[in-house]
Amino acid sequence: MSDLETFRKDTRAWLEENCPAEMRDGAGGEDNICWGGRNWQFQSEAQKTWLDRMAEKGWTVPAWPKEYGGGGLSKEEVKILKSEMRDMKARSPLESFGIWMLGPALLKYGTHEQKLHFLPPITRGEIRWCQGYSEPNAGSDLASLQCKCEDKGDHWLVNGQKVWTSYADESDWIFCLVRTDPKATKHNGISFLLIDMAAQGVSTKPIKLISGKSPFCETFFDDVKVPKEHAPGIGSIVGDLNRGWDVAKYLLTHEREMISAGGGGLFGGRGMGEIAASEIGLEAGRLADPMLRGKIAQAEIDGWAFLLTLERMKDEAKAGQGVGANSSMLKYYGTEFNKRRFELLMDSGGSEALEWEGERTQDGKLARSWLRTKANSIEGGTSEVQLNIIAKRILQLPGA
Amino acid sequence: MALVLTEEQQMLRDAARGFLDEKAPVSALRKLRDANDETGFSRDLWKEMAEMGWAGILVGEDYGGADFGFVGAGVLAEEMGRTLTASPFLSTSILAATALQKLGGEAQRQEHLPKISTGEAVFALAVDEARKHGPQKTAMKAEKHGNGFKLSGDKTFVADGQVADNIIVAARTAGAPGDAEGITLFLIDAAAKGISRERTVMVDSRGAARLKFDGVDATGDDVLGEVDGGLASLEGVLNAGRAGLAAEMSGAAQAAFTMTMDYLKERKQFGIEIGSFQALQHRAAHLYSEIELMKSVTLKALQDLDEHYGMAGIICSLAKAKAGEVAKLASQEAVQMHGGIGMTDEFDIGFYMKRIRVAQEMFGDAAFHADRLAAMRGY
Ligand SMILES: Cc1cc2nc3c(=O)[nH]c(=O)nc-3n(C[C@H](O)[C@H](O)[C@H](O)COP(=O)(O)OP(=O)(O)OC[C@H]3O[C@@H](n4cnc5c(N)ncnc54)[C@H](O)[C@@H]3O)c2cc1C
């Protein structure tokens, strides 16, 4: 047996033994995610057990190095672990901005001490991070951000406002883009700063979304003192002073890849056609609404082609061939596709999909999810911004 | 299997690109068209391609072929798509070679496959009878007659049918049009009595024909596969053709896209390059994304044909549908973004639009394959 086959066998056995039955329902979606953090209320005992066991093995972040709380697995091993988890419909034990965004940025730009200090609590779901990029006047033009950060000798003094900060009110720490040199050109005076949300002067105000939920906030910094070192030898700035834009951009490519993968939910669960068939019914073996059938078939073709493209891009990266800016292409296509998918699910659901409250629809679960997907093509950089990036970086069109 | 080309396949691609750029650029197709060439391709060129092992790319080594698999064949089809190379590659090296390899008896293989490898024999696959693809609707009759059969009926849109030495034809030995059962494939000498052919001059300037079978005699030895083998065995061959066409369209679309991007960087209006206009940039970026998707599905379809031939139907439909739509979009955007010059015969873009139109229609357009995929997925 090859090493990988042995690994698969051992992994399957371990998962069988350790994944609680309640965590094997394949449930995904924002409502079922275990986000972790100091304020986290576990939804069940099983959710906690599952997290603890996986964290112990380093498998909440299987690809990260062991010394920082990861599993130290190779790409092939990670693929096997994921596929085994999918096969038994195991839920993800932990998801967070720490895992998706800050972790990769720290692994690339952080010092060894910063990694040792900040990464393990992320892997165990102890500290939850949020992302302080956008400001009221800096959205797509992120580099025009103004949140002020002054050097006060032993500490930084932060004043300003962030907006659309997802889960700021539930998070323990925030990674933030701040302006440390107001005189430099706009990309050259930005630093990447880590701030404890419990610090004096940090406050948040939830904003309600069209889905009726309030997952994001305005975040205010009023004379917030951020120590230059959070602990001896642990700097509060990641990367070099005034070079935060490099870190920010690198992090965004990970954010985009993560968001685009959301479009892939397609063939994991039930397909759109299968759902529509059970809701609308079949006539002579075919979906009773032929126009909808056609639209769904077209969408399934695009969705499937997109999944294969995610796979190909991964394989190309492994073979050292890929194009870096393709994360923008995947972000653009995946999110636009996901919106289209939910439009079709709403079409199939008909009037029942429009119920907003009540048990029958789990308080309008589909309708709320449908509305939530509209943000996919805005958050992490809008579709238009991704198209700009493709035009400039990949197609090298002039003046872009 | 990783969704990337192996080193060998990459080498094949690079060699093919170099050769075709030199020997078969779009101007070669233009020349054939302007000369109203009856053959529809250059026999000398085809011979050279055969010498490099292309004609027998799918043929086993025992029969003089390169045995390079469907991905290899797709690589060649894609490169020929880039330069719009006219050749019997699809009809002979993909369709007929697949039919013979997968369905042929030993005697049939020994007789025909070596001639495919050397490029001596040209084949054509005759399936469709009406304006839209529908193998299941096959009506052409193959009536029992003594020990053999008599074939009668009409076929249309037969690629290379005007010059083929041999014709693989689908006919009904049982059942009625619409039945999946009762279809049999015959391999017939194109010179057989009772066959008449009309060369159809097509929009893409490639060779095609309408064929008439008027009581053509066939013996049991002419049956390819089994009598009443049905749609299933024919579909396998068609799937190979569909994946090959998807690859060809992928190549054509990429070439048209590259020409268009070059033009956006060079043409100036209002004092700046037109490529600096965001309205065009976003359309270009969208098209780029679609082309990446097309490349992924095409490669996957070819890989699946190599690995699970009998189960590749759904993925070949996926590839044919996606490639058809994307290539059409690429050719339309190419003409539009070139402005007036894109509409001129002197400029090459029009040739791409025409070939893509034909390729996307052949063996099922995007709607046919979307419907087929939906049916396979239970809706
Ligand atoms: C659900 C959700 C969660 C979010 N979470 C976070 C978070 O946790 N942290 C965080 O920092 N931010 C977060 N964001 C913010 C998000 O990154 C911004 O909303 C996004 O970058 C767009 O900025 P904006 O809202 O200011 O829109 P604007 O930039 O004002 O854009 C308005 C419109 O103009 C278009 N536009 C702008 N510039 C161009 C251009 N150059 N070319 C063409 N079109 C253009 C845009 O595409 C858009 O359609 C979140 C957003 C949402 C919706």
Side-chain angles (χ1 to χ4, degrees):
Chain A
M1 214 186 291
S2 78
D3 289 353
L4 286 179
E5 281 167 54
T6 311
F7 177 78
R8 185 183 287 279
K9 202 170 133 265
D10 295 349
T11 300
R12 188 177 307 164
W14 189 88
L15 289 170
E16 276 301 343
E17 195 173 322
N18 287 283
C19 183
E22 298 99 298
M23 294 292 105
R24 298 187 192 189
D25 58 358
E30 226 154 330
D31 294 339
N32 298 306
I33 288 177
C34 174
W35 291 103
R38 288 192 195 118
N39 304 319
W40 183 247
Q41 307 276 337
F42 285 98
Q43 291 158 336
S44 64
E45 196 52 38
Q47 195 183 45
K48 180 169 182 348
T49 308
W50 182 221
L51 169 60
D52 290 345
R53 287 179 183 167
M54 286 291 272
E56 170 87 36
K57 269 201 96 77
W59 283 3
T60 53
V61 280
W64 292 10
K66 276 198 170 144
E67 58 177 332
Y68 306 133
L73 301 189
S74 69
K75 278 182 180 155
E76 283 78 15
E77 288 169 336
V78 173
K79 217 170 161 178
I80 290 172
L81 171 61
K82 295 253 156 84
S83 88
E84 288 300 319
M85 286 176 66
R86 237 189 343 263
D87 285 354
M88 67 163 57
K89 298 201 161 143
R91 289 194 195 183
S92 164
L94 178 70
E95 296 290 340
S96 71
F97 287 20
I99 293 178
W100 295 336
M101 304 181 210
L102 180 64
L106 273 177
L107 283 169
K108 179 152 169 96
Y109 288 97
T111 62
H112 176 60
E113 291 72 23
Q114 283 176 321
K115 292 177 201 172
L116 275 181
H117 186 79
F118 289 111
L119 292 178
I122 292 176
T123 68
R124 295 192 295 262
E126 289 163 7
I127 295 293
R128 184 171 179 184
W129 288 84
C130 61
Q131 176 188 33
Y133 275 29
S134 306
E135 297 178 7
N137 287 314
S140 297
D141 184 12
L142 182 60
S144 68
L145 61 96
Q146 292 302 333
C147 186
K148 199 157 83 180
C149 177
E150 295 164 281
D151 190 341
K152 296 287 178 188
D154 65 337
H155 68 270
W156 302 104
L157 187 67
V158 181
N159 275 292
Q161 185 195 338
K162 295 289 169 182
V163 73
W164 320 129
T165 326
S166 294
Y167 309 113
D169 51 344
E170 294 170 24
S171 296
D172 307 306
W173 281 68
I174 184 167
F175 51 91
C176 225
L177 294 179
V178 293
R179 190 153 295 283
T180 34
D181 183 354
K183 286 190 221 91
T185 52
K186 70 179 182 180
H187 294 93
N188 292 314
I190 295 171
S191 298
F192 191 99
L193 185 66
L194 308 178
I195 305 175
D196 188 340
M197 292 292 278
Q200 188 100 45
V202 181
S203 60
T204 60
K205 195 171 143 213
I207 307 170
K208 200 167 167 182
L209 290 185
I210 51 178
S211 61
K213 301 187 177 172
S214 305
F216 65 15
C217 300
E218 291 178 280
T219 306
F220 302 93
F221 301 98
D222 294 308
D223 285 334
V224 176
K225 288 183 185 169
V226 181
K228 290 238 168 120
E229 293 189 342
H230 283 302
I234 316 292
S236 52
I237 283 184
V238 180
D240 293 338
L241 185 66
N242 293 325
R243 299 301 310 163
W245 188 246
D246 298 339
V247 187
K249 269 197 313 192
Y250 178 76
L251 183 146
L252 276 174
T253 60
H254 281 269
E255 179 176 4
R256 283 166 190 161
E257 274 162 26
M258 185 278 298
I259 295 173
S260 61
L266 179 64
F267 284 81
R270 293 160 76 214
M272 282 179 278
E274 195 186 338
I275 293 173
S278 69
E279 287 173 344
I280 295 176
L282 299 174
E283 264 168 28
R286 305 304 302 272
L287 184 62
D289 180 337
M291 295 295 275
L292 183 62
R293 184 207 307 153
K295 283 193 201 171
I296 289 177
Q298 300 285 1
E300 284 206 334
I301 287 169
D302 291 342
W304 199 346
F306 176 70
L307 282 187
L308 288 169
T309 304
L310 283 176
E311 190 182 325
R312 181 166 67 88
M313 296 288 156
K314 269 192 209 141
D315 289 341
E316 281 184 359
K318 241 190 274 173
Q321 298 171 5
V323 181
N326 269 332
S327 64
S328 286
M329 183 270 287
L330 298 174
K331 200 291 177 171
Y332 161 67
Y333 208 97
T335 57
E336 293 296 335
F337 174 75
N338 207 34
K339 290 196 296 183
R340 184 168 151 213
R341 178 160 77 102
F342 271 85
E343 288 296 332
L344 289 168
L345 291 174
M346 289 298 284
D347 289 343
S348 317
S351 61
E352 282 201 29
L354 301 172
E355 290 185 23
W356 190 246
E357 284 172 4
E359 253 173 55
R360 186 167 37 239
T361 60
Q362 295 171 271
D363 283 333
K365 190 167 185 232
L366 178 62
R368 289 171 199 268
S369 305
W370 159 66
L371 288 164
R372 176 63 182 84
T373 60
K374 300 304 174 201
N376 296 160
S377 51
I378 300 172
E379 59 200 332
T382 66
S383 282
E384 290 75 19
V385 166
Q386 305 314 314
L387 291 171
N388 288 346
I389 294 173
I390 296 169
K392 178 177 173 179
R393 303 261 175 73
I394 302 178
L395 304 178
Q396 303 190 330
L397 290 173
Chain B
M1 165 164 259
L3 211 46
V4 289
L5 294 183
T6 63
E7 220 163 282
E8 250 189 330
Q9 291 158 352
Q10 285 178 39
M11 276 162 57
L12 177 67
R13 179 194 60 195
D14 296 345
R17 192 169 299 179
F19 176 83
L20 293 168
D21 278 346
E22 191 198 322
K23 300 279 177 100
V26 184
S27 56
L29 174 65
R30 182 186 290 277
K31 239 184 240 156
L32 289 170
R33 180 198 68 174
D34 293 346
N36 195 13
D37 188 279
E38 290 283 334
T39 311
F41 59 90
S42 153
R43 288 199 187 264
D44 290 342
L45 181 71
W46 183 234
K47 204 155 168 272
E48 270 190 80
M49 287 167 44
E51 276 160 16
M52 290 186 296
W54 296 8
I57 190 92
L58 285 174
V59 175
E61 285 172 8
D62 291 350
Y63 309 103
D67 201 7
F68 224 77
F70 287 102
V71 176
V75 162
L76 293 178
E78 181 174 328
E79 291 311 316
M80 293 186 208
R82 277 181 197 274
T83 48
L84 300 179
T85 305
S87 84
F89 185 72
L90 176 75
S91 58
T92 303
S93 303
I94 293 186
L95 294 165
T98 302
L100 282 158
Q101 286 281 159
K102 300 287 180 184
L103 305 170
E106 190 49 41
Q108 287 170 320
R109 293 181 184 205
Q110 287 201 1
E111 183 184 350
H112 297 289
L113 286 172
K115 287 193 202 149
I116 289 183
S117 303
T118 56
E120 275 168 82
V122 172
F123 283 70
L125 176 70
V127 175
D128 286 318
E129 300 172 10
R131 57 182 68 221
K132 296 302 281 187
H133 179 60
Q136 201 158 334
K137 293 185 213 140
T138 297
M140 179 160 147
K141 283 197 208 114
E143 277 168 327
K144 278 245 155 58
H145 185 83
N147 281 336
F149 303 85
K150 269 203 183 300
L151 275 53
S152 296
D154 297 342
K155 293 287 177 184
T156 186
F157 202 17
V158 182
D160 296 320
Q162 79 292 1
V163 286
D165 306 294
N166 299 284
I167 294 163
I168 298 173
V169 61
R172 229 169 235 297
T173 35
D179 292 350
E181 306 304 318
I183 296 172
T184 302
L185 290 178
F186 293 89
L187 201 173
I188 307 281
D189 186 332
K193 215 173 119 228
I195 298 181
S196 52
R197 14 186 185 180
E198 174 201 345
R199 174 185 164 221
T200 43
V201 177
M202 306 294 276
V203 67
D204 63 347
S205 313
R206 297 278 293 270
R210 288 177 185 251
L211 305 182
K212 224 180 211 349
F213 289 72
D214 190 6
V216 176
D217 282 317
T219 69
D221 291 343
D222 298 330
V223 171
L224 196 51
E226 288 175 20
V227 175
D228 292 349
L231 202 55
S233 41
L234 172 58
E235 285 288 4
V237 178
L238 288 171
N239 287 335
R242 289 158 179 159
L245 284 162
E248 185 189 339
M249 287 192 279
S250 176
Q254 289 177 64
F257 184 65
T258 303
M259 285 169 77
T260 308
M261 291 309 103
D262 289 346
Y263 193 66
L264 291 190
K265 290 170 195 170
E266 159 198 317
R267 168 76 174 165
K268 284 190 177 166
Q269 282 296 282
F270 301 96
I272 44 172
E273 296 91 346
I274 56 171
S276 60
F277 301 136
Q278 198 180 49
L280 298 188
Q281 289 180 349
H282 281 193
R283 281 161 54 183
H286 172 76
L287 180 53
Y288 167 81
S289 311
E290 291 285 10
I291 286 174
E292 289 303 308
L293 264 68
M294 169 176 62
K295 282 157 67 177
S296 313
V297 288
T298 304
L299 181 54
K300 180 70 177 175
L302 295 162
Q303 284 187 350
D304 273 16
L305 280 169
D306 279 327
E307 283 172 50
H308 344 266
Y309 177 80
M311 279 155 38
I314 193 165
I315 197 86
C316 288
S317 271
L318 178 69
K320 183 66 172 46
K322 187 71 192 160
E325 289 292 303
V326 175
K328 262 198 298 186
L329 180 67
S331 65
Q332 288 163 12
E333 291 289 55
V335 168
Q336 179 66 19
M337 292 190 197
H338 276 88
I341 198 166
M343 287 299 297
T344 61
D345 182 66
E346 198 187 325
F347 198 64
D348 285 344
I349 276 293
F351 281 83
Y352 285 90
M353 177 170 266
K354 292 168 181 171
R355 177 57 191 164
I356 284 167
R357 228 316 137 186
V358 172
Q360 75 88 34
E361 184 68 39
M362 192 175 278
F363 305 141
D365 62 9
F368 175 93
H369 287 289
D371 187 62
R372 185 171 182 249
L373 177 133
M376 286 184 185
R377 286 180 60 79
Y379 64 97

